[in-house]
């Protein structure tokens, strides 16, 4: 129960950091937040730890928890690295992926497609995470999988924010289908290119993402 509560609190705080309710540098008062959400300090602290993993807050010993958003340059650099990690995962997975894992990817895609039809970005994000996690695991490289998962968690709120851009879920869905086709065909370069393009944030997509974060970053 505490884990589900912590996740819910983290998502609310994430939204409020993005919409400017909490600005960069603001201190998040644990006592007031616990009272506001009607919870003990335990799930609240877990929620703040989740945000810290994403880099949205910084826990400073003996001072408290402060909102810390990455700037545009750092965010772009993180997405560049994420795109390359996923590209390597895709190239390796194309050689190693099992039939069962391909079936799991198609199942995740089916759930993503249903979420697109409902315009349900939260469910889409959950299944999208499952989709990418399968590919990391099927790379067959445990170290690479760990690094990809860690950066995926770091970028979680920003990847979620992208999905709220108009038309992005449908575009992402089409990219997922291309990725599965490449993996099923055992085409490592095609899978690598498809995943790199799917994750990379550049051009208009990056402009829109930064614009959506601007109120919280100023």
């Amino acid at each position: 129960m505490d884990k589900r509560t912590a996740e819910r609190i983290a998502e609310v705080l994430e939204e409020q950091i993005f919409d400017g309710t909490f600005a960069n540098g603001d201190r998040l008062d644990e006592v007031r937040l616990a009272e506001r959400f009607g919870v003990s300090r335990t799930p609240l602290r877990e929620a703040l730890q989740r945000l810290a993993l994403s880099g949205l807050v910084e826990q400073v010993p003996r001072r408290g928890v402060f909102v810390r958003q990455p700037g545009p340059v750092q965010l772009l650099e993180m997405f560049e690295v994420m795109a390359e990690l996923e590209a390597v995962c895709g190239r390796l997975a194309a050689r190693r992926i099992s039939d069962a894992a391909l079936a799991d990817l198609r199942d995740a895609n089916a759930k993503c497609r249903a979420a697109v039809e409902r315009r349900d970005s939260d469910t889409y994000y959950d299944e999208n995470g499952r989709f990418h996690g399968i590919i990391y695991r099927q790379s067959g490289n445990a170290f690479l999988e760990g690094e990809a998962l860690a950066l995926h968690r770091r970028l979680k709120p920003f990847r979620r924010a992208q999905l709220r851009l108009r038309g992005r879920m449908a575009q992402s869905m089409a990219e997922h289908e291309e990725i599965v086709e490449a993996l099923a065909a055992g085409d490592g370069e095609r899978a690598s290119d498809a995943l790199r393009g799917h994750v990379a944030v550049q051009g208009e997509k990056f402009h829109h993402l930064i614009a959506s974060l601007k109120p919280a970053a100023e």
Side-chain angles (χ1 to χ4, degrees):
M1 180 63 71
D2 276 356
K3 288 188 176 180
R4 289 197 296 272
T5 301
E7 184 173 355
R8 176 181 60 83
I9 293 170
E11 288 178 2
V12 171
L13 292 175
E14 178 185 298
E15 288 290 335
Q16 293 186 336
I17 290 171
F18 281 147
D19 70 17
T21 301
F22 295 110
N24 195 42
D26 281 355
R27 182 176 179 274
L28 300 181
D29 188 301
E30 288 188 17
V31 174
R32 290 183 180 179
L33 288 173
E35 290 175 353
R36 174 187 157 194
F37 288 106
V39 298
S40 69
R41 301 280 284 279
T42 299
L44 179 64
R45 284 175 175 168
E46 184 175 337
L48 293 175
Q49 287 171 358
R50 288 171 184 244
L51 294 179
L53 284 173
S54 298
L56 282 180
V57 303
E58 179 184 5
Q59 296 173 312
V60 182
R62 296 183 296 281
R63 291 188 58 205
V65 179
F66 297 85
V67 175
R68 292 283 187 267
Q69 283 205 39
V73 173
Q74 184 185 5
L75 189 58
L76 179 58
E77 289 173 345
M78 287 192 292
F79 269 104
E80 284 181 340
V81 173
M82 186 80 258
E84 293 305 319
L85 285 176
E86 297 229 10
V88 175
C89 287
R91 185 167 63 251
L92 294 176
R95 299 202 304 263
R96 300 168 177 173
I97 195 165
S98 67
D99 289 341
L102 279 170
D104 287 342
L105 285 177
R106 292 188 173 107
D107 179 68
N109 266 358
K111 290 181 170 65
C112 283
R113 194 174 301 109
V116 172
E117 292 169 0
R118 297 193 306 271
R119 298 183 180 180
D120 180 356
S121 63
D122 288 335
T123 298
Y124 187 96
Y125 181 80
D126 290 341
E127 290 301 325
N128 177 70
R130 177 184 163 212
F131 179 90
H132 286 272
I134 293 168
I135 295 172
Y136 303 161
R137 189 162 52 254
Q138 292 300 306
S139 72
N141 184 310
F143 179 79
L144 176 61
E145 178 186 1
E147 294 298 301
L149 284 170
L151 188 52
H152 186 102
R153 285 192 296 268
R154 178 79 167 80
L155 288 170
K156 175 182 175 180
F158 307 103
R159 294 180 77 150
R160 186 194 295 274
Q162 278 192 80
L163 293 175
R164 298 196 178 104
L165 299 176
R166 187 172 59 189
R168 177 55 192 155
M169 277 199 295
Q171 180 187 6
S172 176
M173 185 71 249
E175 292 164 0
H176 274 204
E177 291 173 345
E178 166 66 14
I179 291 163
V180 173
E181 286 180 11
L183 292 171
D187 190 333
E189 290 309 310
R190 180 182 167 196
S192 178
D193 289 345
L195 276 157
R196 182 182 294 108
H198 177 61
V199 176
V201 176
Q202 53 195 358
E204 186 178 5
K205 188 160 56 170
F206 184 66
H207 171 76
H208 285 310
L209 177 59
I210 292 302
S212 73
L213 305 180
K214 189 175 180 182
E218 287 182 338

